[in-house]
């Protein structure tokens, strides 16, 4: 799958805003891949494709997961939007022939997870620090991502967990596992 070909697929699948986000994540993945010496083409494809399933309606997400034997945990059943990561990985494998390593990165891009490899870490953080992101402290994390990738991911995981606590919403177990794994491997 070539970048231009994938762009055309995504333009038809995503809203203008989400497409722009995908381009921003692709660009950030490229910068990080250069910095950390990771395959640039793979990183760009991941950035572009990562949210391919994001705009699928919730009931369709649950149906897709059921039809394609994707396990759904209780938190994902409660918040089916989280499933866009696993479904996106499945689509990228079946439709575009992405490697298992690339699919794992897509699968973990929202929650994080244990034993993330460099490519997974890059996609995870690029999703949160693309140039379309404007939240408080984004400049700090953008900077940190190039200095200490693991610290930047921990920061992002802590933000996610704090948000869940403030909203009194469930926390995905992979987010906890990712945080524990990073903290204990420092
Ligand atoms: Fe996403
Ligand atoms: Fe995203």
């Amino acid at each position: 799958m070539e970048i231009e070909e994938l762009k055309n697929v995504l333009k038809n699948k995503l809203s203008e805003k989400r497409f722009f986000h995908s381009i921003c994540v692709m660009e950030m993945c490229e910068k990080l891949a250069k910095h950390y010496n990771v395959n640039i083409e793979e990183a760009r494809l991941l950035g572009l494709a990562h949210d391919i399933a994001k705009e699928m309606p919730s009931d369709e997400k649950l149906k897709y997961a059921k039809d394609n034997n994707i396990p759904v945990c209780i938190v994902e059943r409660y918040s089916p939007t989280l499933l866009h990561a696993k479904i996106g990985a499945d689509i990228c494998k079946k439709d575009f022939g992405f490697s298992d390593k690339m699919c794992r990165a897509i699968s973990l891009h929202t929650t994080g997870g244990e034993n993330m490899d460099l490519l997974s870490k890059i996609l995870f953080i690029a999703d949160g620090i693309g140039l379309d992101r404007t939240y408080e402290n984004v400049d700090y994390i953008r900077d940190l991502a190039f200095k200490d990738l693991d610290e930047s991911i921990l920061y992002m995981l802590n933000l996610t967990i704090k948000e869940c606590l403030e909203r009194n919403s469930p926390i995905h177990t992979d987010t906890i596992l990712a945080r524990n794994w990073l903290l204990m491997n420092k």
Side-chain angles (χ1 to χ4, degrees):
M1 172 63 66
E2 300 284 328
I3 287 281
E4 288 310 314
E5 207 181 325
L6 185 56
K7 272 188 193 166
N8 286 331
V9 175
L10 289 168
K11 255 187 202 150
N12 293 321
K13 263 196 192 285
L14 300 177
S15 63
E16 211 173 303
K17 188 176 171 225
R18 184 85 47 206
F19 183 74
F20 176 65
H21 164 69
S22 305
I23 297 286
C24 291
V25 178
M26 177 187 81
E27 287 169 352
M28 190 52 74
C29 277
E30 179 172 353
K31 284 185 198 162
L32 288 161
K34 280 183 186 155
H35 187 77
Y36 288 109
N37 229 344
V38 168
N39 187 307
I40 296 169
E41 265 324 285
E42 283 184 357
R44 293 181 80 217
L45 283 167
L46 286 179
L48 191 57
H50 77 287
D51 271 343
I52 189 162
K54 181 93 178 187
E55 291 175 356
M56 191 185 275
S58 284
D59 53 339
E60 259 181 59
K61 283 194 183 81
L62 290 166
K63 185 176 182 320
Y64 186 100
K66 195 169 178 238
D67 292 348
N68 292 276
N69 299 315
I70 296 172
V72 178
C73 74
I74 48 166
V75 180
E76 290 159 348
R77 197 158 294 284
Y78 180 82
S79 303
T81 184
L82 289 166
L83 280 172
H84 80 275
K86 288 182 182 172
I87 294 173
D90 196 70
I91 292 173
C92 286
K93 170 135 221 94
K94 290 172 180 162
D95 291 1
F96 314 140
F98 278 21
S99 68
D100 289 345
K101 184 185 160 79
M102 289 169 77
C103 292
R104 182 156 196 268
I106 294 186
S107 178
L108 298 179
H109 86 261
T110 308
T111 56
E114 271 182 306
N115 303 312
M116 294 167 91
D117 65 6
L118 204 42
L119 202 57
S120 295
K121 288 179 181 177
I122 285 175
L123 178 61
F124 178 88
I125 202 68
D127 189 25
I129 61 167
L131 293 181
D132 59 318
R133 302 285 194 189
T134 54
Y135 56 89
E136 212 189 326
N137 291 340
V138 69
D139 289 331
Y140 169 75
I141 312 176
R142 244 178 227 140
D143 201 44
L144 189 57
F146 287 86
K147 290 180 182 146
D148 189 333
L149 188 57
D150 286 357
E151 273 304 323
S152 70
I153 294 171
L154 259 178
Y155 193 98
M156 198 64 94
L157 291 167
N158 283 339
L159 274 186
T160 303
I161 291 169
K162 273 184 216 159
E163 254 177 48
C164 289
L165 293 175
E166 275 161 22
R167 289 194 203 144
N168 212 17
S169 60
I171 302 168
H172 198 288
T173 41
D174 282 342
T175 302
I176 312 269
L177 289 173
R179 182 172 181 273
N180 286 348
W181 175 68
L182 284 170
L183 277 176
M184 289 171 197
N185 283 290
K186 271 205 212 188

